[in-house]
Amino acid sequence: MPRAFLVKKMNITNGKKNWSLLPDSVRGDIYIPLSLFPSYVNEVCEGSLAEHSCFTTPQKSNTFLQIPTQVLSAQLPSSTAQGQHDQRPECHMRTERLPYVRSKMKITTGNFLPSVAPVVSENASKLANTPSDASVFTCQVCQKTFSTARMLKRHVKCHSKTKRYSCEHCEKGFNDTFDLKRHVRTHTGVRPYKCTSCAKAFTQRCSLESHQKKIHAITQQYAYKERRGKVYVCEECGLTAQTQDSLWNHLQAEHPQSRSIDCNEGKKLAEKDNDS
DNA sequence: CATTGCCCCGATAGCTTG
DNA sequence: CAAGCTATCGGGGCAATG
């Protein structure tokens, strides 16, 4: 039964939040009215063309899109919006629905606010002279900029139809193994993140932290984007271990048939090879 | 040594449910 | 409307590779 949360609909409410007023260090996101998105970009995104064509070398001129400076400097087209549109056939749950358009776009460089964001590489070259001296790599599909080619290359995949990892339960595709693993928990019911104040448990850490903050007034003492302690999750029963060895022992004792054993076996062997 | 791929992560949007 | 759920995607560590 398709969950309705997967049936996303366009909900571009201009002015819902004035993201341009927020410093990137605080939010890093801006909202893009769909009306500002050039229609021909959609055509460009068809098929795998995006994956092949949306690179620019750093600082080089960008003639792929000619979007007015005043438009882009305030509101850039949503990359994920187009990506989602293309990705519809990947999931049967989403087919024959309105194309889901994410209104959010993350500004990843952190070096500039939307109001002063460089539009094309002429301005980007100026950005390269910022103290961080970060190069700017621009996606030619959505004009999103990245400080490294590596980030751009990965971003380009979101414009592509192809998903490398698919869920064996629902055939939904993901670009990231971790995203797939996290998704599978929705089928297996594994909820590794348990609230210490009540009996509730969650599939994602942020859900737990949100719950603790709202319900128990427990605020995590972490800085923005600070990493929490790593937990090793048994995807068979949801048990969490503090170390890989603990998880390994648990798997051997409780789930000897688990495929996780095989995966961990490989890692263990690799570690042994490295040690020797 | 630079690049690349894999893996894991947090932040958050947009949705459903009660 | 608050709480909870899930997907998306950028950031970054680390090991493998050329």
Side-chain angles (χ1 to χ4, degrees):
Chain A
M1 184 65 185
R3 289 288 301 267
F5 65 80
L6 290 173
V7 185
K8 319 241 175 167
K9 61 187 176 187
M10 283 192 286
N11 185 22
I12 309 301
T13 52
N14 203 4
K16 186 177 180 180
K17 290 181 182 178
N18 193 350
W19 295 99
S20 64
L21 294 178
L22 290 176
D24 189 40
S25 59
V26 176
R27 268 293 289 108
D29 298 334
I30 57 176
Y31 276 82
I32 298 91
L34 190 64
S35 59
L36 292 174
F37 204 97
S39 59
Y40 53 89
V41 173
N42 201 26
E43 299 170 15
V44 168
C45 292
E46 290 297 328
S48 61
L49 180 59
E51 196 161 4
H52 299 293
S53 66
C54 59
F55 287 102
T56 56
T57 54
Q59 327 309 337
K60 298 301 180 187
S61 64
N62 185 340
T63 57
F64 199 75
L65 288 174
Q66 302 288 335
I67 301 175
T69 300
Q70 58 272 29
V71 171
L72 274 173
S73 63
Q75 290 145 327
L76 294 169
S78 169
S79 59
T80 48
Q82 302 311 306
Q84 290 288 344
H85 183 81
D86 287 345
Q87 291 159 9
R88 273 187 299 153
E90 284 301 311
C91 176
H92 63 278
M93 290 178 172
R94 290 193 196 179
T95 54
E96 307 309 322
R97 306 282 184 177
L98 285 173
Y100 165 46
V101 178
R102 282 184 70 138
S103 57
K104 180 187 142 190
M105 176 179 181
K106 290 193 174 185
I107 298 298
T108 59
T109 65
N111 292 328
F112 51 86
L113 298 174
S115 59
V116 294
V119 177
V120 290
S121 48
E122 290 89 320
N123 288 340
S125 63
K126 295 176 184 175
L127 184 68
N129 293 326
T130 57
S132 66
D133 198 30
S135 297
V136 173
F137 297 81
T138 305
C139 173
Q140 291 204 352
V141 173
C142 67
Q143 296 296 297
K144 206 168 184 179
T145 58
F146 299 85
S147 57
T148 64
R150 179 191 179 199
M151 290 295 175
L152 172 61
K153 187 173 183 178
R154 188 178 57 178
H155 161 80
V156 162
K157 288 186 171 67
C158 82
H159 292 303
S160 170
K161 280 182 180 179
T162 54
K163 301 290 184 183
R164 298 178 59 198
Y165 309 101
S166 59
C167 173
E168 62 183 13
H169 298 91
C170 69
E171 298 178 4
K172 183 171 174 56
F174 297 87
N175 280 326
D176 193 299
T177 53
F178 185 76
D179 287 338
L180 171 61
K181 184 191 291 185
R182 199 154 51 178
H183 162 80
V184 167
R185 290 174 189 162
T186 67
H187 298 295
T188 61
V190 167
R191 291 168 177 265
Y193 302 102
K194 298 172 179 63
C195 180
T196 55
S197 303
C198 67
K200 294 211 68 158
F202 304 86
T203 58
Q204 296 185 17
R205 174 139 42 189
C206 58
S207 298
L208 169 62
E209 291 185 357
S210 176
H211 162 82
Q212 288 182 321
K213 184 178 180 180
K214 289 175 180 173
I215 305 302
H216 306 301
I218 300 173
T219 304
Q220 302 296 322
Q221 302 299 311
Y222 291 102
Y224 183 68
K225 289 189 178 180
E226 181 181 346
R227 292 212 161 196
R228 280 67 163 163
K230 178 172 170 58
V231 294
Y232 296 87
V233 178
C234 173
E235 301 296 341
E236 303 292 334
C237 67
L239 175 136
T240 55
Q242 299 305 309
T243 66
Q244 193 173 21
D245 283 344
S246 301
L247 176 60
W248 170 251
N249 293 334
H250 165 77
L251 285 169
Q252 280 198 315
E254 305 295 334
H255 315 288
Q257 309 301 322
S258 171
R259 275 188 293 174
S260 301
I261 289 274
D262 300 332
C263 299
N264 283 297
E265 190 89 59
K267 287 181 181 177
K268 290 242 171 189
L269 287 172
E271 286 169 7
K272 282 186 177 178
D273 288 344
N274 290 337
D275 292 344
S276 61

